Amino acid sequence: MRTKKPKLAVWKFASCDGCQLSLLDCEDELLEVVGAVEIAYFLEASKATIAGPYDISLVEGSITTPHDAERIHKIRKVSKYLITIGACATAGGIQALRNFKDVKEFISVVYANPSYIETLNKSTPIADHVFVDFELRGCPINKYQLIEVISAFLNNRKPNIPTYSVCMECKRKGNVCVMVSSGIPCLGPVVQAGCGAICPSYNRGCYGCFGPKETPNVFALTEHFIGLGLKSTDIVRILRNFNSYAEPFRKGSEAYER
Amino acid sequence: MKDKLIKVDYLARVEGEGALYIKVKSGYVVDVKLKIFEPPRFFEAFLRGRNFMEVPDITARICGICPIAYQMSSVHAIENAFDVKVDGILRELRRLIYCGEWIESHALHIFMLHLPDFLGYDDVIQMAKDYPEIVQKALRLKKIGNEIVRIIGGREVHPVNVRVGGFYRAPSKKEIKQIEDDLKWARDFSIEAVKFLAGLEFPEFEQDYEFVALRHPNEYPFNEGRIVSNKGIDIAVSEYDNHFVEEHVPHSNALHSRIVNRGAYFVGPLARFNLNFDKLSDIAKKVSLEVGFKPFCRNPFKSILARAVETVYACDEALRIISIYEEPSKPYVDFTIKPGVGYGCTEAPRGILYHRYKIDEKGLILDAKIVPPTSQNLKMIESDLWKFSATYLNLPEDELTWKCEQAIRNYDPCISCATHFLKVHIERE
C-alpha cells in the first residue's frame, strides 16, 4: 500500500541499538509518529520494508568495516535528508577508543583467530564519509530531541536543539554545582546540553554523553581538574568515553597523553 | 522433495544485525547458518586500563536494550573482587531497577517483536490497526518499566546512577511511591496478557534442552545465585569458566558457547521459569497454572509465555520492594580497593550474563571477560533451526521462512551484545 506520507528509514551501523530504541521508547508519541510518517525501513521494529528513496534517513552507529564504509554511500544516495543519531554516528562512539591504540592488538585480545576479523583501524563518524544534514548528539539521544528533529525536517524548519553547555540545564534545574561544592570533576562546562543534566542531579559529575558543546574551552577545564588533584592519566580517561574522537576531546586527551 | 534455500539477508525484529541461511537438498537440511555481521566493538580490549568506577558506565554501552544487566553484572563482579557485600535496602533497590528493565524489555519483545509473528503481522504498527487496545496497553506497560529505570537510574537507556557499592543517589520515598498505582495496573495487565498469550497457537516442537539459569535459595533470581541446570550443573559463579567454553564450529563464523564435554544449552526466561518456578510470587504462579503453563516446558515457542509470567512477577516484586522502601542513610557502602579477580553473573532479560575482571592494586582493570546471553544461546538456536526446519519442510517456502525467523525470535537474540566477542567473517555471494 503506497501512501503520500513522508518515508522514514532507520539504519544501523556499529552501535548498541540504544538510539533507535529511543524511537520505540516514545511510548506516548509512537502511534502519533507512525501516523505522521511511513516507517519504510526499520528492521528492529518491522520485517516489512519499502524501497527508497526515503525522505528522512536516521542513521545510528559508526563506520568500522570496509563493507559499512560502502553501505553508507548507498544510503546517502537514497535519502533526501540524512540525520545521524547518537554518539556513535556523530563521533565514532565508544568503539572509537580503538583509534588511539593498535587495533590489531585489540583483535588479538578479544578474538582467538584474528584472521576472521574484518575491521577498519578506526571507528569514524558518518560525516567523515558522506554529507550529513543534521547530527543529533547523545549516548543515548534524548527521545524528545529526536521527535523535535523529525518534526522540524517534516516541516522544513530548523530543529530547535541547543548547542550551549550542560551547565545551563543544571542551573535551570536548580542543582548545586557538584564541582564547586564537592570538588567532583564534571565535564558539564564543555559538554553540550540535551540530557537534562542528569548526572549532577544524581550527585555525580557529567561524563560527557552529548559530546563537546559549541566552542568548548577544554583546557581551561582540564587544568582546573589538575587543581582538583587529578593526574594526566585520569584526564585522558575522562575525555575518552563515548565521544573520544570528537575533535576537542581528542586533542584534549592527546595533550595529556604526552 | 525439491531443493530449497531459505535465505533471510537481514533478520528483522531482533536487536542488532544478523542473517539466516538454510539449505535443503533432496529433502534433507544440509546446512544451517545464523550469520552475524554486526561489526565487532572490542569492549574487553578497551576496558583494560580503565578505572573500576568507569566500568558500569562503559559496559552499559554494550547494549541499549539491557544496560542494567551489564551494569549489574559489572558491579557484582567488581564487588566480588573487593569482597564487598551490598545488602539491605540497597540490594532491594538493585532488584527494583532490574524489575524495571525486565518489564520494559519483556514488553518490547512480547508485543512489539514477537507477537506480530503469532498473529501474522509484519510489525506492531500493522498489528495496532486490528488490536489497538492491546498495543496501547503494551506501550503503557513498557513505559512503566522504563519509568522505574528512569527514576532509579536517571534515564531509560544507559542509566547513570549505578555504581560499585550501590548508587550515586538513593531515590526518595516519594519518588519511588509515585509509580505504585501504575505498577498495580501493570500487574493486572500482565496477568491479562498471560491469559491472552496462552491462547495463541504454538508450533508443536520440543527438544531435550539443557536449561541453565541462576538459582537463589530465597528468591527468583536477578543478581545472585548459583548457576544450575536441569542436567546436573550446580556451581558457584566463580566456577563458570571451568564448565562453559566458547568454541569455533565449522559451519558458523560465530563463536558458540557450550557446556564442557556436553554441548548446547538454553538460557533466558524459559530456563529461569523451568528452574525457578517455585520461587515465583503467588500471583505469578497462580496465573501460570491457571493457563496450564508449568514446568517442565520444552517448547521454545512458549518462551513468550515465560516472558509474560516473568512480567507479572517483576511487577509483583517491584510492588513488594516499593511497599518496604525507605531511603537509606547513605546511597552506597564503603569499601577498600584491592587487587584480585572478581566474578559476576546476573539474569539479563535474555538470560545469564557472565562478567569476570582482573583488577590491580590501583583499581585499574587488567583483564575483562564478558559472555552475553545471546552468545550462550547461539548454538541452541542453530540446533533448533536444524530440527525445526526438518520437521516443517512441507510448508510453503515463505511460511517456512517466517516460522524459522520466529524460532530465532523465541530467544530474543541481541546481536549487538553478542558481537563484541564474536568472530565475524562476512561471506559475500
Side-chain angles (χ1 to χ4, degrees):
Chain A
M1 193 178 70
R2 301 296 293 261
T3 63
K4 283 196 174 156
K5 281 193 256 181
K7 284 197 227 168
L8 179 78
V10 183
W11 308 93
K12 180 186 151 59
F13 291 83
S15 68
C16 79
D17 280 52
C19 290
Q20 51 176 319
L21 180 70
S22 298
L23 194 57
L24 297 177
D25 276 347
C26 299
E27 290 98 357
D28 291 335
E29 300 84 4
L30 185 68
L31 294 177
E32 272 179 60
V33 172
V34 302
V37 297
E38 183 173 24
I39 307 268
Y41 189 95
F42 185 10
L43 283 181
E44 188 174 299
S46 178
K47 72 203 269 324
T49 57
I50 298 163
Y54 307 98
D55 293 277
I56 297 178
S57 275
L58 299 175
V59 178
E60 174 190 274
S62 66
I63 304 296
T64 61
T65 66
H67 173 68
D68 280 353
E70 290 297 316
R71 189 159 64 99
I72 189 62
H73 286 276
K74 291 181 187 147
I75 292 169
R76 176 70 264 188
K77 278 198 189 109
V78 294
S79 309
K80 185 177 171 199
Y81 294 121
L82 190 151
I83 298 165
T84 60
I85 54 170
C88 296
T90 60
I94 186 80
Q95 51 274 6
L97 289 175
R98 79 178 68 180
N99 300 8
F100 304 93
K101 304 273 180 184
D102 177 7
V103 78
K104 290 196 187 73
E105 193 219 335
F106 268 27
I107 295 170
S108 68
V109 166
V110 182
Y111 299 92
N113 193 345
S115 63
Y116 283 110
I117 300 300
E118 193 176 46
T119 192
L120 296 169
N121 292 333
K122 288 193 163 47
S123 166
T124 45
I126 303 299
D128 279 13
H129 300 263
V130 294
F131 175 76
V132 171
D133 292 281
F134 192 83
E135 293 185 321
L136 186 63
R137 305 279 198 81
C139 181
I141 54 166
N142 175 321
K143 64 184 183 185
Y144 301 108
Q145 288 197 337
L146 177 64
I147 291 174
E148 161 60 17
V149 169
I150 293 173
S151 149
F153 274 89
L154 290 179
N155 294 294
N156 290 315
R157 63 175 174 82
K158 188 173 173 281
N160 182 16
I161 301 294
T163 52
Y164 49 70
S165 74
V166 168
C167 292
M168 302 282 278
E169 289 184 310
C170 206
K171 294 290 159 287
R172 274 206 299 269
K173 263 186 135 170
N175 287 339
V176 174
C177 178
V178 293
M179 193 147 58
V180 172
S181 68
S182 316
I184 298 170
C186 178
L187 282 174
V190 297
V191 168
Q192 181 167 303
C195 66
I198 302 170
C199 286
S201 313
Y202 279 79
N203 291 339
R204 62 179 297 195
C206 164
Y207 58 94
C209 300
F210 278 64
K213 76 171 187 94
E214 212 168 57
T215 63
N217 193 343
V218 174
F219 288 104
L221 182 66
T222 48
E223 286 303 298
H224 181 72
F225 287 171
I226 298 281
L228 291 175
L230 268 68
K231 297 189 183 68
S232 299
T233 49
D234 300 325
I235 289 173
V236 171
R237 284 205 317 270
I238 285 177
L239 292 172
R240 286 191 186 162
N241 271 328
F242 323 108
N243 292 284
S244 63
Y245 207 56
E247 192 174 282
F249 288 4
R250 175 169 61 80
K251 285 189 172 161
S253 69
E254 279 167 354
Y256 287 93
E257 207 170 26
R258 285 190 200 113
Chain B
M1 196 180 295
K2 72 178 168 86
D3 297 350
K4 282 185 189 180
L5 186 64
I6 309 269
K7 224 169 137 247
V8 182
D9 289 334
Y10 281 84
L11 287 168
R13 301 208 312 273
V14 296
E15 292 97 8
E17 299 201 323
L20 167 67
Y21 172 92
I22 297 175
K23 201 168 169 185
V24 179
K25 218 169 179 164
S26 317
Y28 291 97
V29 180
V30 293
D31 199 10
V32 171
K33 278 186 192 138
L34 190 57
K35 288 194 209 169
I36 309 293
F37 50 87
E38 176 90 19
R41 292 189 293 147
F42 303 114
F43 275 85
E44 283 108 327
F46 59 62
L47 276 166
R48 291 175 314 152
R50 302 299 297 217
N51 184 284
F52 74 91
M53 283 293 275
E54 301 169 318
V55 172
D57 295 332
I58 293 175
T59 54
R61 267 70 186 182
I62 292 174
C63 181
I65 326 291
C66 58
I68 293 294
Y70 282 91
Q71 294 189 324
M72 286 299 142
S73 286
S74 303
V75 293
H76 277 87
I78 295 166
E79 285 158 10
N80 178 248
F82 294 165
D83 277 330
V84 50
K85 191 90 188 136
V86 176
D87 252 325
I89 204 69
L90 290 174
R91 186 178 185 277
E92 297 281 16
L93 205 52
R94 284 181 166 178
R95 282 182 72 80
L96 182 56
I97 196 170
Y98 227 144
C99 287
E101 181 157 287
W102 274 26
I103 296 168
E104 189 280 331
S105 176
H106 281 358
L108 172 74
H109 191 260
I110 294 170
F111 298 101
M112 304 171 91
L113 307 185
H114 210 190
L115 185 57
D117 278 330
F118 287 94
L119 300 179
Y121 297 93
D122 283 339
D123 55 48
V124 70
I125 296 153
Q126 286 184 28
M127 197 176 92
K129 286 173 192 145
D130 299 330
Y131 295 88
E133 202 196 357
I134 200 159
V135 171
Q136 269 157 10
K137 285 181 172 176
L139 286 168
R140 183 170 171 203
L141 175 68
K142 183 171 166 302
K143 189 182 170 185
I144 293 166
N146 265 335
E147 198 64 4
I148 299 175
V149 177
R150 193 188 57 75
I151 289 168
I152 304 172
R155 66 181 163 205
E156 301 90 334
V157 179
H158 307 331
V160 306
N161 196 21
V162 171
R163 55 162 278 179
V164 174
F167 295 88
Y168 286 92
R169 173 170 84 74
S172 68
K173 197 171 171 173
K174 196 177 152 207
E175 281 176 288
I176 291 288
K177 282 277 178 207
Q178 76 189 38
I179 34 178
E180 200 170 17
D181 289 342
D182 273 340
L183 263 169
K184 284 180 184 157
W185 176 90
R187 184 173 59 187
D188 289 346
F189 171 63
S190 309
I191 291 170
E192 204 183 295
V194 173
K195 293 176 183 167
F196 171 78
L197 296 168
L200 296 174
E201 201 183 309
F202 298 98
E204 273 185 39
F205 178 76
E206 289 192 350
Q207 279 209 71
D208 182 20
Y209 297 105
E210 177 153 12
F211 293 103
V212 176
L214 288 180
R215 182 158 171 90
H216 187 275
N218 312 318
E219 58 199 20
Y220 202 76
F222 278 118
N223 287 311
E224 288 172 58
R226 289 173 69 79
I227 298 170
V228 303
S229 85
N230 54 317
K231 294 192 177 179
I233 289 178
D234 184 357
I235 57 167
V237 172
S238 58
E239 295 170 89
Y240 179 93
D241 293 328
N242 302 331
H243 293 82
F244 299 88
V245 287
E246 288 132 344
E247 62 174 22
H248 194 187
V249 286
H251 65 271
S252 166
N253 298 310
L255 266 189
H256 287 199
S257 282
R258 63 185 284 145
I259 296 171
V260 175
N261 297 329
R262 206 138 73 220
Y265 59 105
F266 190 135
V267 303
L270 193 60
R272 286 191 294 257
F273 174 87
N274 279 332
L275 296 166
N276 292 286
F277 179 80
D278 59 322
K279 302 291 183 223
L280 284 168
S281 63
D282 290 343
I283 295 174
K285 254 187 259 178
K286 185 168 164 273
V287 64
S288 192
L289 293 174
E290 245 176 66
V291 300
F293 179 54
K294 53 183 195 290
F296 231 77
C297 172
R298 291 183 173 82
N299 183 340
F301 290 87
K302 291 192 175 169
S303 290
I304 194 170
L305 272 181
R307 252 173 223 113
V309 170
E310 281 194 340
T311 310
V312 177
Y313 172 76
C315 293
D316 215 16
E317 176 68 353
L319 283 164
R320 179 192 68 79
I321 297 167
I322 289 169
S323 74
I324 57 162
Y325 184 76
E326 295 290 341
E327 195 179 326
S329 51
K330 202 173 166 195
Y332 57 88
V333 297
D334 290 312
F335 52 85
T336 319
I337 297 166
K338 61 173 198 173
V341 180
Y343 307 87
C345 184
T346 74
E347 283 284 359
R350 286 146 199 82
I352 55 169
L353 165 58
Y354 172 73
H355 288 215
R356 184 195 71 207
Y357 301 99
K358 194 174 173 194
I359 308 173
D360 74 6
E361 68 289 346
K362 283 186 252 152
L364 300 181
I365 304 300
L366 294 170
D367 175 63
K369 179 176 180 173
I370 298 172
V371 189
T374 293
S375 70
Q376 308 190 58
N377 274 333
L378 276 177
K379 199 174 180 63
M380 203 75 258
I381 300 175
E382 281 196 349
S383 158
D384 275 4
L385 287 167
W386 275 97
K387 300 211 166 103
F388 183 75
S389 55
T391 325
Y392 284 89
L393 287 180
N394 293 327
L395 285 177
E397 211 138 308
D398 53 341
E399 218 171 295
L400 179 58
T401 305
W402 196 344
K403 280 252 188 303
C404 286
E405 287 180 69
Q406 191 182 340
I408 295 170
R409 283 192 278 269
N410 285 334
Y411 292 83
D412 190 6
C414 188
I415 294 166
S416 302
C417 289
T419 50
H420 70 100
F421 85 95
L422 289 169
K423 287 178 196 295
V424 178
H425 177 71
I426 300 168
E427 201 177 278
R428 290 199 185 84
E429 276 116 326

